[in-house]
Amino acid sequence: MEIKVIFDKDTDEKFLQTGWGVSFLIEEKILFDTGEKGEWLINNFKKLKVDINKIEKVVISHEHWDHTGGLWDLLKIKKGIEVYGCKGFSEKFKENVKKEGGNFIEIEKLIEFEEKIFTTGEIEGYYKGKKIVEQSLIVKGKNGISVLTGCAHPGILKIIDYIRDFFPDESIYAVIGGFHLIEEEKRIVEIIVEEFKKRNIKKVGPTHCTGVLGIELFRERFKENFLEIKVGQKIEV
């Protein structure tokens, strides 16, 4: 399975746009999150020679602007595309998807919505004292299962353990995305890094809201199994 980084905060290529939020394209047809701005998302599609017509489904991890910002421009180009969002998303968001020509599909529980590609379904967490629902993606590749996260507001370890309950016999090859450790103290981040090791996760690709400290601590601990996430990169899982 190939995962292409469409949007993130870093790149080695000057012609690609970077910013806040993430967007990953799986096997050229499943888009997970859309970054912060539509113009930048579409630019990166063009520069990376992504055929938008091949994108069949969009999965939105959670409602925050930096994960949904590119969706609206995409819907203008790709009418009728399926948008998979949590059942607990706001009615305003659901209506906006329909208004812009998308087909909103409510997700509540873990399901396989494409061969070897699953959504966790909505997992509850808190952000700034308010309840939030978020979903992550699970990809079954040749190396085991890999996890893509948007911001991991429910807690990155909570998400991983939730997934392992459904796939007890599968090894976790990689966890990639935002881990939302940017506001955590160093000792908390160090504990989480060690918990990744205890759970026998092979590779890790923290980015976005993981924060500079978190990214560096994962890099130090995982060494050659640390994945540098940058726009334009392709990752085989």
Side-chain angles (χ1 to χ4, degrees), residues 13-210:
E13 306 294 344
K14 292 181 180 180
F15 59 83
L16 294 172
Q17 294 282 356
T18 59
W20 204 236
V22 298
S23 184
F24 301 107
L25 184 63
I26 306 164
E27 293 289 288
E28 299 291 332
K29 62 182 179 179
I30 308 296
L31 188 68
F32 180 61
D33 282 347
T34 62
E36 68 166 285
K37 191 173 182 179
E39 179 185 346
W40 296 350
L41 180 75
I42 302 304
N43 172 81
N44 288 353
F45 280 147
K46 291 177 180 177
K47 298 297 186 181
L48 294 170
K49 295 181 170 54
V50 171
D51 186 350
I52 294 177
N53 290 319
K54 289 183 179 179
I55 300 176
E56 299 172 0
K57 300 169 183 176
V58 181
V59 181
I60 299 295
S61 63
H62 63 297
E63 280 190 73
H64 287 169
W65 62 275
D66 49 333
H67 296 261
T68 63
L71 177 62
W72 316 114
D73 279 15
L74 178 60
L75 289 178
K76 288 181 174 68
I77 298 171
K78 183 82 175 181
K79 295 292 184 183
I81 195 169
E82 295 179 343
V83 179
Y84 288 72
C86 295
K87 183 179 180 180
F89 281 6
S90 69
E91 290 304 317
K92 181 180 179 181
F93 181 84
K94 296 174 186 178
E95 288 302 319
N96 282 342
V97 170
K98 295 173 185 175
K99 181 180 176 182
E100 295 296 332
N103 177 20
F104 187 83
I105 297 174
E106 287 190 350
I107 299 297
E108 187 174 12
K109 305 295 184 182
L110 187 145
I111 62 164
E112 184 177 16
F113 67 96
E114 184 77 19
E115 186 178 5
K116 296 184 178 181
I117 303 175
F118 305 74
T119 165
T120 60
E122 59 181 23
I123 303 175
E124 289 188 0
Y126 287 88
Y127 178 67
K128 294 185 177 180
K130 293 183 179 180
K131 189 174 82 170
I132 188 172
V133 291
E134 184 171 340
Q135 61 181 331
S136 297
L137 283 193
I138 305 155
V139 178
K140 291 187 76 171
K142 61 183 179 181
N143 299 305
I145 63 173
S146 292
V147 181
L148 294 179
T149 64
C151 266
H153 287 299
I156 187 61
L157 295 180
K158 178 179 177 179
I159 292 169
I160 290 168
D161 290 344
Y162 178 89
I163 291 168
R164 296 194 82 156
D165 284 344
F166 281 94
F167 300 94
D169 299 323
E170 295 276 1
S171 60
I172 296 182
Y173 176 67
V175 182
I176 300 166
F179 300 170
H180 205 73
L181 303 175
I182 196 168
E183 297 168 351
E184 296 289 355
E185 296 177 3
K186 183 178 180 180
R187 65 182 185 85
I188 298 299
V189 180
E190 288 173 335
I191 290 170
I192 291 171
V193 171
E194 287 307 311
E195 288 297 326
F196 265 65
K197 278 293 187 179
K198 289 178 182 178
R199 285 160 173 76
N200 295 316
I201 294 164
K202 176 70 173 175
K203 294 181 180 290
V204 62
T207 186
H208 178 41
C209 57
T210 307

